[in-house]
Amino acid sequence: MPPVEPFLLRSMTMWLLLQSVLLLASCLRSAAAFPKGCYPSEEEGLKTFRCSNARLTEVPKDIPNDTNKLYLDSNRIPFLPRDAFRDLPLLLELDLSHNAIAGVESGAFRGLGEHLHSLDLSSNRLVSVSKDAFSNLKAKVNLSNNPWLCDCRLQELIRTVELAAGSSGGIVCDSSVQEEHVGKAFLQVIADTDFCNMYKKTTDIAMLVTMFGWFAMVISYLVYYVRQNQEDARRHLEYLKSLPSKQRRSEESSTISTVV
Ligand SMILES: *[C@@H]1O[C@H](CO)[C@@H](O)[C@H](O)[C@H]1NC(C)=O
Ligand SMILES: *[C@@H]1O[C@H](CO)[C@@H](O)[C@H](O)[C@H]1NC(C)=O
């Protein structure tokens, strides 16, 4: 009969080994589940996920889908593609400030529409963004401290989004369709400049000039045509005038000849 004790010992060892392997695996898995430099926490009952200063060059995948606050600030993210935050149905606050974001594809914030209430895009490299990127977004947006081009597109964007309280003064023209706006706050500039109507006005004027050009061409052609015809008509008339006398003379001569 084999002794019971060694068998128990062996199974105990096996069990412990298995347990530690499982523990290690779960540790590794949870470590791998979070992007490098990111860590979760709970703040005031809200699930928070911080990836600040993590040298990220894109929005990380594998952000827990129950995250309420997401900090991606102070990284090197250059671009927000379509559906960048699609799998975060409980997100309330999104901080993307102090990155290198120069482009926002339309649909980048798709899926955040109803619940997101704060979006920080300040201190990035935004020059020009389509208002379509922010359609359906209810969040208060901070667009301060970006090298904005002040034009109709920015005016439309500002009309579309709700600016975070007190952040509007930080939207400054780095360049503009009109040189004198550079360095001024955009909201101050649009108090007496309507970039979209200005554009419309210029297109209207261009259209008017073109139409006038065509009109002038048609008129001058008509005048030329009439003059030319007058000349022709006069010549023709002279010809006709000269014609009957010749004819008469020839007729006369012919009657004379018949008489003779
Ligand atoms: C998060 O993902 C899990 C697994 O796919 C799913 O069961 C859960 O409902 C999701 N949670 C939310 C808040 O969408
Ligand atoms: C908006 O961003 C600027 C620049 O980062 C910051 O100074 C300001 O406090 C922000 N405002 C709000 C309301 O978040």
Side-chain angles (χ1 to χ4, degrees):
M1 187 179 155
V4 175
E5 244 171 286
F7 172 74
L8 251 177
L9 205 69
R10 216 181 316 147
S11 52
M12 275 282 273
T13 323
M14 283 292 277
W15 187 77
L16 274 173
L17 208 72
L18 196 73
Q19 202 71 347
S20 48
V21 162
L22 277 178
L23 201 73
L24 197 72
S26 76
C27 273
L28 278 177
R29 214 188 53 193
S30 71
F34 295 137
K36 198 161 165 274
C38 298
Y39 60 93
S41 63
E42 190 115 1
E43 292 174 13
E44 297 157 357
L46 293 176
K47 290 246 165 61
T48 304
F49 200 69
R50 286 185 183 272
C51 303
S52 310
N53 277 306
R55 300 181 180 200
L56 297 174
T57 53
E58 58 179 8
V59 177
K61 315 271 181 287
D62 309 321
I63 296 168
N65 67 351
D66 58 353
T67 299
N68 302 127
K69 286 182 172 191
L70 177 58
Y71 290 88
L72 293 170
D73 59 298
S74 308
N75 283 293
R76 299 168 187 167
I77 299 168
F79 178 71
L80 298 177
R82 187 181 303 255
D83 290 327
F85 307 97
R86 190 187 46 193
D87 299 322
L88 301 170
L90 302 178
L91 200 61
L92 304 172
E93 288 182 29
L94 176 56
D95 189 349
L96 288 161
S97 66
H98 297 94
N99 272 283
I101 300 166
V104 181
E105 202 174 3
S106 71
F109 302 113
R110 199 154 57 176
L112 301 179
E114 297 304 319
H115 37 90
L116 192 74
H117 62 62
S118 159
L119 171 61
D120 196 344
L121 282 167
S122 66
S123 301
N124 274 287
R125 297 191 190 150
L126 296 171
V127 174
S128 187
V129 178
S130 166
K131 66 179 192 315
D132 301 339
F134 294 87
S135 55
N136 301 324
L137 212 60
K138 302 270 191 295
K140 294 183 171 60
V141 186
N142 191 345
L143 297 172
S144 303
N145 205 9
N146 279 284
W148 289 111
L149 163 66
C150 289
D151 63 354
C152 180
R153 210 172 185 216
L154 182 58
Q155 190 173 322
E156 285 180 340
L157 175 66
I158 299 296
R159 269 192 203 143
T160 306
V161 300
E162 192 181 335
L163 295 175
S167 73
S168 65
I171 303 172
V172 174
C173 306
D174 190 65
S175 55
S176 172
V177 287
Q178 272 170 263
E179 196 63 37
E180 70 261 28
H181 298 148
V182 173
K184 289 189 180 158
F186 186 63
L187 258 71
Q188 212 175 317
V189 168
I190 55 170
D192 49 30
T193 308
D194 189 337
F195 287 96
C196 298
N197 267 338
M198 192 168 67
Y199 177 70
K200 222 183 120 222
K201 238 181 255 169
T202 43
T203 47
D204 281 357
I205 287 169
M207 199 116 113
L208 218 71
V209 166
T210 315
M211 269 168 66
F212 184 76
W214 278 105
F215 191 66
M217 255 166 74
V218 167
I219 292 288
S220 49
Y221 179 72
L222 270 178
V223 167
Y224 170 78
Y225 184 79
V226 166
R227 282 236 180 112
Q228 192 73 10
N229 270 19
Q230 260 179 351
E231 192 83 355
D232 278 355
R234 198 164 51 79
R235 245 183 265 144
H236 194 67
L237 211 71
E238 264 166 26
Y239 172 72
L240 281 181
K241 265 187 203 159
S242 70
L243 204 59
S245 57
K246 262 190 215 155
Q247 221 167 25
R248 226 179 299 141
R249 236 172 267 149
S250 64
E251 265 169 23
E252 270 167 19
S253 62
S254 71
T255 44
I256 288 167
S257 69
T258 46
V259 165
V260 168

